[in-house]
Amino acid sequence: MATSIAMRWFNVRERKCHAKCLQKLEALFSTRAGVDVTRAEGSPKDEGERRTHQRHCTSFKQSVEQRQRSVLISCLPKTHHNKFLNYLSRHGHVNKCFFYESFGTYAVVEFSDNDGVQSLLDSATIPSISHESVVPLRSRLLSLRSINTVNTDIKNIPQCQPQRTVSINELIQQLSSCDNLEQQIMSLTEAHSLTEENSRLRFLVCSLLNDISAAYFPESSIRPFGSSVNGFGKLGCDLDMFLDLDAISAGSSNMPQSGMYVEYHMKRATSERAVTQSVLSVIAECLEQFGPGCVGVQKILNARCPLVRFTHQPSGFQCDLTANNRVAMRSTEMLYLLGELDPRVRALVFTVRCWARANGVTSSIPGAWITNFSLTLMVVFFLQRRNPPILPTLDRLKELAEPSEKCIIDGNDCTFTSDFDKIQLEPNTESLDQLLSDFFEFYSTFLFNRMSINIRKGKEEHKPELGPLYIQNPFETSLNVSKNVNTAQLERFVSLCQESAWMMQSGGTLTTLLQPSQISAVKRRKKRKVEPASERIKGLLESLRTKNNVQKK
Ligand code: GTP
Ligand code: MG
């Protein structure tokens, strides 16, 4: 029987992080394939396809319901844990509760059923503020208040789950206790991966925001994509969200073959982009004016992919909300699949991303830097180029896809198989040490001036246009995902790769690679190495001078 991404995740892997949440997400991904087939080729062709679509929609509804059974509660730092749980259990059975810190202590509480949430919400009071007024919008973001005295029972103070990665210095210290480079890489991957709690929080924030968007668009849903769910997310990474309005158009397949029918009277816009812009603009206003916990809302509507950027203060997440961005959802699914094919993929991506950040190759500020997404594609490409390859090409994954997996989005062929059983990998036993060292070597000598990186074909191709770095967008193949990168940044990346390769060949470990000062030391040493040449020139000049002096005499 075919093994779906979700099944594989559940049965084979025993990773701590975000297993359950992602399993649900994968069900949604399958849903998308069904919807897109419908969009690309007209209404579902047969009953089987319709049933598959219905099944996916059901699992989607279930996961949405699960998130809606959760609330986010701002607590007091010394909240009595047991008393808090007792209080909650008066409203319903609590499935899961955990605490975290983000400018205060918060609890994520999941009830077993909707009645629990409803009872808690019904019991909540409106803040009593003397000089200000409140916006009358009630949500599942609550604040715990207590009339009694503060908890003095130290043993009953909530244990907070980490929501951020350790600092680079702490990480280096942690890694220095590892026996070898391989262990360091695994330890870094573990330290940076999203925890199950952090994943739950991400899904909950999507659900809280969905309540706001649903005020305008009741059938809309907000879902995470990008590194929050592709398996390469680091604690503290941004929360990319997608506002899905497709359920509203689902009724278009109801049109009869003959006779009368009615259609909705809908306002028209000049293009789909214009619709996206105006929908996002309204949602942005809503978040700014009424969204509990949403601050710093910016409308970035003229970008290639229009978005709304803001901070969700209670979770501490930097959020990017997009709409009509299905290709990005598909690349999220692709990266998740690739990361699951071989454990070395995630380990190498985490290490390279961390190395890049520590050495200033990537930045949280938008600019001419290489992005994490581009770096991930570079690692994927490098692994496709191994002999034998560690990862298959995207074209191969497309060849392996069943007709039912066909997926066309806005005219782009985004088909690939999600069936692990079909993907046969050649045996490659290279160690992570070897791979990391060779990654640096590979990009030290890559002909960036002439060639492009193409994970679809798994081989470099001549660049179709000028520009320092060309990484073909895997699905919108006429686009370059690293168009923003300038020559200075690319040169910096290449020179860091050269120095890191040299360092690894001289027995350097991850701790040295993550310290920019160590890499500059290599630079200095390398400079000193070329001294003999300058010494030779000096000697030559000296001898000429001596010769002249002799001749003059
Ligand atoms: P971090 O947020 O840096 O941890 O990584 P990320 O993978 O989430 O990257 P980012 O937030 O920049 O983008 C979110 C997702 O959008 C990515 O995972 C991709 O799926 C997609 N994406 C990002 N940049 C591009 C791009 O230039 N082109 C395309 N087609 N998709 C992109
Ligand atoms: Mg992101």
Side-chain angles (χ1 to χ4, degrees), residues 225-228 230 232-234 237-238 240 304 320 325 327-329 331-332 335 353 371-374 376 473-474 476 479-482:
F225 72 97
S227 61
S228 294
N230 67 13
F232 300 111
K234 180 183 139 182
C237 68
D238 67 355
D240 302 295
R304 190 179 75 81
D320 278 352
N325 192 9
V327 175
M329 289 294 276
S331 27
T332 301
L335 289 183
R353 280 185 173 203
T371 62
N372 275 334
F373 180 57
S374 295
T376 308
N473 186 321
E476 292 161 291
L479 301 176
N480 172 11
V481 302
S482 50

PDB file of all heavy atoms in Angstrom, residues 225-228 230 232-234 237-238 240 304 320 325 327-329 331-332 335 353 371-374 376 473-474 476 479-482, ligand 1:
ATOM      1  N   PHE A 225       3.003  27.815   6.403  1.00  0.00           N
ATOM      2  CA  PHE A 225       3.861  27.178   5.388  1.00  0.00           C
ATOM      3  C   PHE A 225       5.289  27.631   5.670  1.00  0.00           C
ATOM      4  O   PHE A 225       5.553  28.229   6.703  1.00  0.00           O
ATOM      5  CB  PHE A 225       3.374  27.518   3.951  1.00  0.00           C
ATOM      6  CG  PHE A 225       3.630  28.939   3.517  1.00  0.00           C
ATOM      7  CD1 PHE A 225       4.740  29.275   2.742  1.00  0.00           C
ATOM      8  CD2 PHE A 225       2.764  29.952   3.898  1.00  0.00           C
ATOM      9  CE1 PHE A 225       4.971  30.576   2.329  1.00  0.00           C
ATOM     10  CE2 PHE A 225       2.987  31.266   3.503  1.00  0.00           C
ATOM     11  CZ  PHE A 225       4.095  31.579   2.718  1.00  0.00           C
ATOM     12  N   GLY A 226       6.211  27.326   4.757  1.00  0.00           N
ATOM     13  CA  GLY A 226       7.614  27.712   4.978  1.00  0.00           C
ATOM     14  C   GLY A 226       8.237  26.900   6.102  1.00  0.00           C
ATOM     15  O   GLY A 226       7.786  25.792   6.411  1.00  0.00           O
ATOM     16  N   SER A 227       9.240  27.482   6.745  1.00  0.00           N
ATOM     17  CA  SER A 227      10.035  26.681   7.683  1.00  0.00           C
ATOM     18  C   SER A 227       9.271  26.285   8.949  1.00  0.00           C
ATOM     19  O   SER A 227       9.733  25.428   9.687  1.00  0.00           O
ATOM     20  CB  SER A 227      11.331  27.395   8.032  1.00  0.00           C
ATOM     21  OG  SER A 227      11.042  28.614   8.653  1.00  0.00           O
ATOM     22  N   SER A 228       8.089  26.876   9.200  1.00  0.00           N
ATOM     23  CA  SER A 228       7.307  26.430  10.364  1.00  0.00           C
ATOM     24  C   SER A 228       6.887  24.976  10.194  1.00  0.00           C
ATOM     25  O   SER A 228       6.640  24.287  11.176  1.00  0.00           O
ATOM     26  CB  SER A 228       6.033  27.269  10.521  1.00  0.00           C
ATOM     27  OG  SER A 228       6.349  28.587  10.824  1.00  0.00           O
ATOM     28  N   ASN A 230       8.120  22.928   7.116  1.00  0.00           N
ATOM     29  CA  ASN A 230       8.821  22.133   6.090  1.00  0.00           C
ATOM     30  C   ASN A 230       9.920  21.237   6.664  1.00  0.00           C
ATOM     31  O   ASN A 230      10.626  20.561   5.918  1.00  0.00           O
ATOM     32  CB  ASN A 230       9.351  23.026   4.947  1.00  0.00           C
ATOM     33  CG  ASN A 230      10.469  23.969   5.392  1.00  0.00           C
ATOM     34  OD1 ASN A 230      11.036  23.823   6.474  1.00  0.00           O
ATOM     35  ND2 ASN A 230      10.782  24.938   4.553  1.00  0.00           N
ATOM     36  N   PHE A 232      12.571  22.283   8.279  1.00  0.00           N
ATOM     37  CA  PHE A 232      13.843  22.993   8.410  1.00  0.00           C
ATOM     38  C   PHE A 232      13.726  24.216   9.315  1.00  0.00           C
ATOM     39  O   PHE A 232      14.611  25.068   9.339  1.00  0.00           O
ATOM     40  CB  PHE A 232      14.365  23.420   7.027  1.00  0.00           C
ATOM     41  CG  PHE A 232      14.589  22.257   6.103  1.00  0.00           C
ATOM     42  CD1 PHE A 232      13.784  22.056   4.995  1.00  0.00           C
ATOM     43  CD2 PHE A 232      15.596  21.345   6.361  1.00  0.00           C
ATOM     44  CE1 PHE A 232      13.978  20.967   4.151  1.00  0.00           C
ATOM     45  CE2 PHE A 232      15.797  20.256   5.525  1.00  0.00           C
ATOM     46  CZ  PHE A 232      14.988  20.068   4.418  1.00  0.00           C
ATOM     47  N   GLY A 233      12.606  24.308  10.027  1.00  0.00           N
ATOM     48  CA  GLY A 233      12.384  25.479  10.882  1.00  0.00           C
ATOM     49  C   GLY A 233      13.238  25.439  12.123  1.00  0.00           C
ATOM     50  O   GLY A 233      13.440  24.382  12.720  1.00  0.00           O
ATOM     51  N   LYS A 234      13.691  26.616  12.500  1.00  0.00           N
ATOM     52  CA  LYS A 234      14.516  26.750  13.693  1.00  0.00           C
ATOM     53  C   LYS A 234      13.655  27.451  14.743  1.00  0.00           C
ATOM     54  O   LYS A 234      12.839  28.315  14.381  1.00  0.00           O
ATOM     55  CB  LYS A 234      15.705  27.623  13.283  1.00  0.00           C
ATOM     56  CG  LYS A 234      16.703  27.907  14.338  1.00  0.00           C
ATOM     57  CD  LYS A 234      17.759  28.831  13.777  1.00  0.00           C
ATOM     58  CE  LYS A 234      18.104  29.847  14.815  1.00  0.00           C
ATOM     59  NZ  LYS A 234      19.046  30.838  14.447  1.00  0.00           N
ATOM     60  N   CYS A 237      12.060  30.999  14.269  1.00  0.00           N
ATOM     61  CA  CYS A 237      11.912  31.431  12.866  1.00  0.00           C
ATOM     62  C   CYS A 237      10.552  32.108  12.682  1.00  0.00           C
ATOM     63  O   CYS A 237       9.664  31.975  13.526  1.00  0.00           O
ATOM     64  CB  CYS A 237      12.077  30.263  11.901  1.00  0.00           C
ATOM     65  SG  CYS A 237      10.770  29.028  11.960  1.00  0.00           S
ATOM     66  N   ASP A 238      10.420  32.859  11.582  1.00  0.00           N
ATOM     67  CA  ASP A 238       9.167  33.594  11.387  1.00  0.00           C
ATOM     68  C   ASP A 238       8.009  32.621  11.128  1.00  0.00           C
ATOM     69  O   ASP A 238       8.236  31.441  10.872  1.00  0.00           O
ATOM     70  CB  ASP A 238       9.304  34.637  10.257  1.00  0.00           C
ATOM     71  CG  ASP A 238       9.492  33.999   8.889  1.00  0.00           C
ATOM     72  OD1 ASP A 238       9.608  32.774   8.813  1.00  0.00           O
ATOM     73  OD2 ASP A 238       9.507  34.731   7.887  1.00  0.00           O
ATOM     74  N   ASP A 240       5.227  31.965   8.571  1.00  0.00           N
ATOM     75  CA  ASP A 240       4.654  32.296   7.263  1.00  0.00           C
ATOM     76  C   ASP A 240       3.268  31.693   7.199  1.00  0.00           C
ATOM     77  O   ASP A 240       3.094  30.499   7.484  1.00  0.00           O
ATOM     78  CB  ASP A 240       5.517  31.706   6.145  1.00  0.00           C
ATOM     79  CG  ASP A 240       6.941  32.218   6.216  1.00  0.00           C
ATOM     80  OD1 ASP A 240       7.142  33.420   6.027  1.00  0.00           O
ATOM     81  OD2 ASP A 240       7.853  31.413   6.506  1.00  0.00           O
ATOM     82  N   ARG A 304       6.258  41.164  -5.110  1.00  0.00           N
ATOM     83  CA  ARG A 304       5.850  40.151  -6.094  1.00  0.00           C
ATOM     84  C   ARG A 304       4.762  39.266  -5.489  1.00  0.00           C
ATOM     85  O   ARG A 304       3.784  38.913  -6.141  1.00  0.00           O
ATOM     86  CB  ARG A 304       7.064  39.298  -6.506  1.00  0.00           C
ATOM     87  CG  ARG A 304       6.771  38.394  -7.685  1.00  0.00           C
ATOM     88  CD  ARG A 304       7.961  37.587  -8.087  1.00  0.00           C
ATOM     89  NE  ARG A 304       8.239  36.486  -7.195  1.00  0.00           N
ATOM     90  CZ  ARG A 304       7.611  35.315  -7.224  1.00  0.00           C
ATOM     91  NH1 ARG A 304       6.679  35.107  -8.113  1.00  0.00           N
ATOM     92  NH2 ARG A 304       7.922  34.361  -6.376  1.00  0.00           N
ATOM     93  N   ASP A 320       4.241  36.673   8.630  1.00  0.00           N
ATOM     94  CA  ASP A 320       4.030  37.120   7.249  1.00  0.00           C
ATOM     95  C   ASP A 320       2.774  36.433   6.753  1.00  0.00           C
ATOM     96  O   ASP A 320       2.744  35.200   6.655  1.00  0.00           O
ATOM     97  CB  ASP A 320       5.206  36.698   6.359  1.00  0.00           C
ATOM     98  CG  ASP A 320       6.384  37.654   6.458  1.00  0.00           C
ATOM     99  OD1 ASP A 320       6.242  38.718   7.098  1.00  0.00           O
ATOM    100  OD2 ASP A 320       7.450  37.343   5.897  1.00  0.00           O
ATOM    101  N   ASN A 325      -0.986  32.085  -2.553  1.00  0.00           N
ATOM    102  CA  ASN A 325       0.443  31.781  -2.649  1.00  0.00           C
ATOM    103  C   ASN A 325       0.636  30.272  -2.604  1.00  0.00           C
ATOM    104  O   ASN A 325       1.400  29.738  -1.829  1.00  0.00           O
ATOM    105  CB  ASN A 325       1.141  32.444  -1.440  1.00  0.00           C
ATOM    106  CG  ASN A 325       2.629  32.457  -1.581  1.00  0.00           C
ATOM    107  OD1 ASN A 325       3.159  32.130  -2.639  1.00  0.00           O
ATOM    108  ND2 ASN A 325       3.318  32.793  -0.508  1.00  0.00           N
ATOM    109  N   VAL A 327       1.954  28.192  -4.714  1.00  0.00           N
ATOM    110  CA  VAL A 327       3.229  27.604  -5.146  1.00  0.00           C
ATOM    111  C   VAL A 327       4.155  27.463  -3.940  1.00  0.00           C
ATOM    112  O   VAL A 327       4.864  26.461  -3.785  1.00  0.00           O
ATOM    113  CB  VAL A 327       3.879  28.470  -6.256  1.00  0.00           C
ATOM    114  CG1 VAL A 327       5.252  27.941  -6.616  1.00  0.00           C
ATOM    115  CG2 VAL A 327       2.996  28.490  -7.492  1.00  0.00           C
ATOM    116  N   ALA A 328       4.117  28.455  -3.051  1.00  0.00           N
ATOM    117  CA  ALA A 328       4.976  28.390  -1.855  1.00  0.00           C
ATOM    118  C   ALA A 328       4.547  27.230  -0.954  1.00  0.00           C
ATOM    119  O   ALA A 328       5.368  26.586  -0.318  1.00  0.00           O
ATOM    120  CB  ALA A 328       4.919  29.705  -1.098  1.00  0.00           C
ATOM    121  N   MET A 329       3.236  26.957  -0.920  1.00  0.00           N
ATOM    122  CA  MET A 329       2.751  25.807  -0.143  1.00  0.00           C
ATOM    123  C   MET A 329       3.337  24.524  -0.741  1.00  0.00           C
ATOM    124  O   MET A 329       3.724  23.612  -0.034  1.00  0.00           O
ATOM    125  CB  MET A 329       1.226  25.703  -0.213  1.00  0.00           C
ATOM    126  CG  MET A 329       0.468  26.756   0.529  1.00  0.00           C
ATOM    127  SD  MET A 329       0.682  26.679   2.302  1.00  0.00           S
ATOM    128  CE  MET A 329      -0.507  25.461   2.781  1.00  0.00           C
ATOM    129  N   SER A 331       6.128  24.270  -2.519  1.00  0.00           N
ATOM    130  CA  SER A 331       7.574  24.119  -2.246  1.00  0.00           C
ATOM    131  C   SER A 331       7.801  23.708  -0.799  1.00  0.00           C
ATOM    132  O   SER A 331       8.759  23.011  -0.497  1.00  0.00           O
ATOM    133  CB  SER A 331       8.414  25.346  -2.611  1.00  0.00           C
ATOM    134  OG  SER A 331       7.708  26.508  -2.568  1.00  0.00           O
ATOM    135  N   THR A 332       6.897  24.116   0.081  1.00  0.00           N
ATOM    136  CA  THR A 332       7.007  23.680   1.477  1.00  0.00           C
ATOM    137  C   THR A 332       6.871  22.159   1.545  1.00  0.00           C
ATOM    138  O   THR A 332       7.639  21.471   2.203  1.00  0.00           O
ATOM    139  CB  THR A 332       5.896  24.351   2.317  1.00  0.00           C
ATOM    140  OG1 THR A 332       6.054  25.756   2.215  1.00  0.00           O
ATOM    141  CG2 THR A 332       5.947  23.938   3.769  1.00  0.00           C
ATOM    142  N   LEU A 335      10.035  20.478   0.138  1.00  0.00           N
ATOM    143  CA  LEU A 335      11.177  20.490   1.054  1.00  0.00           C
ATOM    144  C   LEU A 335      10.962  19.497   2.192  1.00  0.00           C
ATOM    145  O   LEU A 335      11.890  18.827   2.637  1.00  0.00           O
ATOM    146  CB  LEU A 335      11.411  21.905   1.614  1.00  0.00           C
ATOM    147  CG  LEU A 335      11.968  22.917   0.620  1.00  0.00           C
ATOM    148  CD1 LEU A 335      12.229  24.250   1.308  1.00  0.00           C
ATOM    149  CD2 LEU A 335      13.265  22.425  -0.038  1.00  0.00           C
ATOM    150  N   ARG A 353      22.721  26.483   7.523  1.00  0.00           N
ATOM    151  CA  ARG A 353      21.958  27.693   7.881  1.00  0.00           C
ATOM    152  C   ARG A 353      22.571  28.360   9.115  1.00  0.00           C
ATOM    153  O   ARG A 353      22.690  29.580   9.169  1.00  0.00           O
ATOM    154  CB  ARG A 353      20.510  27.339   8.184  1.00  0.00           C
ATOM    155  CG  ARG A 353      19.644  27.146   6.951  1.00  0.00           C
ATOM    156  CD  ARG A 353      18.209  26.924   7.395  1.00  0.00           C
ATOM    157  NE  ARG A 353      17.298  26.888   6.273  1.00  0.00           N
ATOM    158  CZ  ARG A 353      15.993  27.146   6.370  1.00  0.00           C
ATOM    159  NH1 ARG A 353      15.447  27.434   7.515  1.00  0.00           N
ATOM    160  NH2 ARG A 353      15.211  27.103   5.317  1.00  0.00           N
ATOM    161  N   THR A 371      19.091  34.086   1.125  1.00  0.00           N
ATOM    162  CA  THR A 371      18.049  33.732   2.110  1.00  0.00           C
ATOM    163  C   THR A 371      18.213  32.266   2.533  1.00  0.00           C
ATOM    164  O   THR A 371      18.889  31.487   1.859  1.00  0.00           O
ATOM    165  CB  THR A 371      16.637  33.897   1.510  1.00  0.00           C
ATOM    166  OG1 THR A 371      16.540  32.986   0.408  1.00  0.00           O
ATOM    167  CG2 THR A 371      16.363  35.304   1.043  1.00  0.00           C
ATOM    168  N   ASN A 372      17.551  31.924   3.618  1.00  0.00           N
ATOM    169  CA  ASN A 372      17.571  30.536   4.085  1.00  0.00           C
ATOM    170  C   ASN A 372      16.971  29.602   3.043  1.00  0.00           C
ATOM    171  O   ASN A 372      17.414  28.473   2.886  1.00  0.00           O
ATOM    172  CB  ASN A 372      16.764  30.410   5.389  1.00  0.00           C
ATOM    173  CG  ASN A 372      17.615  30.762   6.582  1.00  0.00           C
ATOM    174  OD1 ASN A 372      18.836  30.632   6.541  1.00  0.00           O
ATOM    175  ND2 ASN A 372      16.981  31.208   7.637  1.00  0.00           N
ATOM    176  N   PHE A 373      15.946  30.089   2.347  1.00  0.00           N
ATOM    177  CA  PHE A 373      15.302  29.256   1.325  1.00  0.00           C
ATOM    178  C   PHE A 373      16.319  28.932   0.215  1.00  0.00           C
ATOM    179  O   PHE A 373      16.471  27.782  -0.199  1.00  0.00           O
ATOM    180  CB  PHE A 373      14.074  29.991   0.770  1.00  0.00           C
ATOM    181  CG  PHE A 373      13.326  29.232  -0.283  1.00  0.00           C
ATOM    182  CD1 PHE A 373      12.810  27.969  -0.039  1.00  0.00           C
ATOM    183  CD2 PHE A 373      13.114  29.792  -1.550  1.00  0.00           C
ATOM    184  CE1 PHE A 373      12.110  27.269  -1.015  1.00  0.00           C
ATOM    185  CE2 PHE A 373      12.417  29.109  -2.534  1.00  0.00           C
ATOM    186  CZ  PHE A 373      11.917  27.841  -2.265  1.00  0.00           C
ATOM    187  N   SER A 374      17.068  29.976  -0.219  1.00  0.00           N
ATOM    188  CA  SER A 374      18.091  29.748  -1.252  1.00  0.00           C
ATOM    189  C   SER A 374      19.161  28.787  -0.748  1.00  0.00           C
ATOM    190  O   SER A 374      19.603  27.885  -1.470  1.00  0.00           O
ATOM    191  CB  SER A 374      18.769  31.068  -1.639  1.00  0.00           C
ATOM    192  OG  SER A 374      17.838  31.927  -2.235  1.00  0.00           O
ATOM    193  N   THR A 376      18.867  26.461   1.425  1.00  0.00           N
ATOM    194  CA  THR A 376      18.313  25.102   1.474  1.00  0.00           C
ATOM    195  C   THR A 376      18.360  24.479   0.078  1.00  0.00           C
ATOM    196  O   THR A 376      18.744  23.324  -0.078  1.00  0.00           O
ATOM    197  CB  THR A 376      16.860  25.141   2.008  1.00  0.00           C
ATOM    198  OG1 THR A 376      16.868  25.874   3.228  1.00  0.00           O
ATOM    199  CG2 THR A 376      16.307  23.759   2.252  1.00  0.00           C
ATOM    200  N   ASN A 473      13.876  28.895  -9.594  1.00  0.00           N
ATOM    201  CA  ASN A 473      12.699  28.610  -8.783  1.00  0.00           C
ATOM    202  C   ASN A 473      12.169  27.235  -9.219  1.00  0.00           C
ATOM    203  O   ASN A 473      11.913  27.019 -10.398  1.00  0.00           O
ATOM    204  CB  ASN A 473      11.664  29.709  -9.066  1.00  0.00           C
ATOM    205  CG  ASN A 473      10.451  29.613  -8.196  1.00  0.00           C
ATOM    206  OD1 ASN A 473       9.982  28.517  -7.917  1.00  0.00           O
ATOM    207  ND2 ASN A 473       9.946  30.747  -7.784  1.00  0.00           N
ATOM    208  N   PRO A 474      12.037  26.272  -8.298  1.00  0.00           N
ATOM    209  CA  PRO A 474      11.706  24.905  -8.709  1.00  0.00           C
ATOM    210  C   PRO A 474      10.380  24.769  -9.449  1.00  0.00           C
ATOM    211  O   PRO A 474      10.223  23.878 -10.277  1.00  0.00           O
ATOM    212  CB  PRO A 474      11.657  24.125  -7.393  1.00  0.00           C
ATOM    213  CG  PRO A 474      12.184  25.010  -6.330  1.00  0.00           C
ATOM    214  CD  PRO A 474      12.211  26.405  -6.849  1.00  0.00           C
ATOM    215  N   GLU A 476       8.186  27.822 -10.467  1.00  0.00           N
ATOM    216  CA  GLU A 476       8.004  28.908 -11.443  1.00  0.00           C
ATOM    217  C   GLU A 476       9.353  29.059 -12.127  1.00  0.00           C
ATOM    218  O   GLU A 476      10.171  29.890 -11.749  1.00  0.00           O
ATOM    219  CB  GLU A 476       7.576  30.182 -10.729  1.00  0.00           C
ATOM    220  CG  GLU A 476       6.183  30.072 -10.129  1.00  0.00           C
ATOM    221  CD  GLU A 476       5.913  31.103  -9.048  1.00  0.00           C
ATOM    222  OE1 GLU A 476       6.526  31.000  -7.967  1.00  0.00           O
ATOM    223  OE2 GLU A 476       5.101  32.000  -9.269  1.00  0.00           O
ATOM    224  N   LEU A 479      11.818  31.959 -12.996  1.00  0.00           N
ATOM    225  CA  LEU A 479      12.221  32.919 -11.955  1.00  0.00           C
ATOM    226  C   LEU A 479      13.465  32.447 -11.209  1.00  0.00           C
ATOM    227  O   LEU A 479      13.735  31.256 -11.108  1.00  0.00           O
ATOM    228  CB  LEU A 479      11.072  33.134 -10.958  1.00  0.00           C
ATOM    229  CG  LEU A 479       9.751  33.646 -11.523  1.00  0.00           C
ATOM    230  CD1 LEU A 479       8.690  33.720 -10.432  1.00  0.00           C
ATOM    231  CD2 LEU A 479       9.931  35.021 -12.166  1.00  0.00           C
ATOM    232  N   ASN A 480      14.177  33.449 -10.697  1.00  0.00           N
ATOM    233  CA  ASN A 480      15.398  33.197  -9.934  1.00  0.00           C
ATOM    234  C   ASN A 480      15.099  33.510  -8.466  1.00  0.00           C
ATOM    235  O   ASN A 480      14.777  34.647  -8.135  1.00  0.00           O
ATOM    236  CB  ASN A 480      16.491  34.133 -10.483  1.00  0.00           C
ATOM    237  CG  ASN A 480      17.758  34.104  -9.655  1.00  0.00           C
ATOM    238  OD1 ASN A 480      17.930  33.242  -8.787  1.00  0.00           O
ATOM    239  ND2 ASN A 480      18.653  35.039  -9.931  1.00  0.00           N
ATOM    240  N   VAL A 481      15.214  32.522  -7.574  1.00  0.00           N
ATOM    241  CA  VAL A 481      14.856  32.789  -6.172  1.00  0.00           C
ATOM    242  C   VAL A 481      15.899  33.657  -5.464  1.00  0.00           C
ATOM    243  O   VAL A 481      15.631  34.157  -4.379  1.00  0.00           O
ATOM    244  CB  VAL A 481      14.616  31.500  -5.337  1.00  0.00           C
ATOM    245  CG1 VAL A 481      13.542  30.640  -5.915  1.00  0.00           C
ATOM    246  CG2 VAL A 481      15.883  30.699  -5.162  1.00  0.00           C
ATOM    247  N   SER A 482      17.067  33.819  -6.085  1.00  0.00           N
ATOM    248  CA  SER A 482      18.113  34.608  -5.413  1.00  0.00           C
ATOM    249  C   SER A 482      18.446  35.873  -6.211  1.00  0.00           C
ATOM    250  O   SER A 482      19.577  36.335  -6.212  1.00  0.00           O
ATOM    251  CB  SER A 482      19.357  33.754  -5.222  1.00  0.00           C
ATOM    252  OG  SER A 482      19.685  33.153  -6.441  1.00  0.00           O
TER     253      SER A 482
HETATM  254  P1  GTP B   1      13.109  31.068   7.395  1.00  0.00           P
HETATM  255  O1  GTP B   1      11.869  31.853   7.570  1.00  0.00           O
HETATM  256  O2  GTP B   1      14.277  31.934   7.068  1.00  0.00           O
HETATM  257  O3  GTP B   1      13.381  30.119   8.496  1.00  0.00           O
HETATM  258  O4  GTP B   1      12.936  30.129   6.098  1.00  0.00           O
HETATM  259  P2  GTP B   1      11.660  29.930   5.155  1.00  0.00           P
HETATM  260  O5  GTP B   1      11.900  28.705   4.336  1.00  0.00           O
HETATM  261  O6  GTP B   1      10.406  29.997   5.938  1.00  0.00           O
HETATM  262  O7  GTP B   1      11.778  31.168   4.191  1.00  0.00           O
HETATM  263  P3  GTP B   1      10.853  32.444   4.015  1.00  0.00           P
HETATM  264  O8  GTP B   1      10.164  32.796   5.277  1.00  0.00           O
HETATM  265  O9  GTP B   1      11.706  33.473   3.374  1.00  0.00           O
HETATM  266  O10 GTP B   1       9.793  31.977   2.933  1.00  0.00           O
HETATM  267  C1  GTP B   1       8.742  31.101   3.247  1.00  0.00           C
HETATM  268  C2  GTP B   1       8.523  30.129   2.109  1.00  0.00           C
HETATM  269  O11 GTP B   1       8.176  30.873   0.940  1.00  0.00           O
HETATM  270  C3  GTP B   1       9.739  29.293   1.725  1.00  0.00           C
HETATM  271  O12 GTP B   1       9.900  28.129   2.497  1.00  0.00           O
HETATM  272  C4  GTP B   1       9.434  28.983   0.292  1.00  0.00           C
HETATM  273  O13 GTP B   1       8.532  27.910   0.221  1.00  0.00           O
HETATM  274  C5  GTP B   1       8.759  30.248  -0.181  1.00  0.00           C
HETATM  275  N1  GTP B   1       9.734  31.197  -0.758  1.00  0.00           N
HETATM  276  C6  GTP B   1      10.584  32.007  -0.123  1.00  0.00           C
HETATM  277  N2  GTP B   1      11.308  32.747  -0.990  1.00  0.00           N
HETATM  278  C7  GTP B   1      10.877  32.385  -2.189  1.00  0.00           C
HETATM  279  C8  GTP B   1      11.220  32.791  -3.507  1.00  0.00           C
HETATM  280  O14 GTP B   1      12.076  33.637  -3.755  1.00  0.00           O
HETATM  281  N3  GTP B   1      10.530  32.187  -4.496  1.00  0.00           N
HETATM  282  C9  GTP B   1       9.596  31.244  -4.247  1.00  0.00           C
HETATM  283  N4  GTP B   1       8.951  30.675  -5.244  1.00  0.00           N
HETATM  284  N5  GTP B   1       9.240  30.846  -3.038  1.00  0.00           N
HETATM  285  C10 GTP B   1       9.881  31.396  -2.031  1.00  0.00           C
END
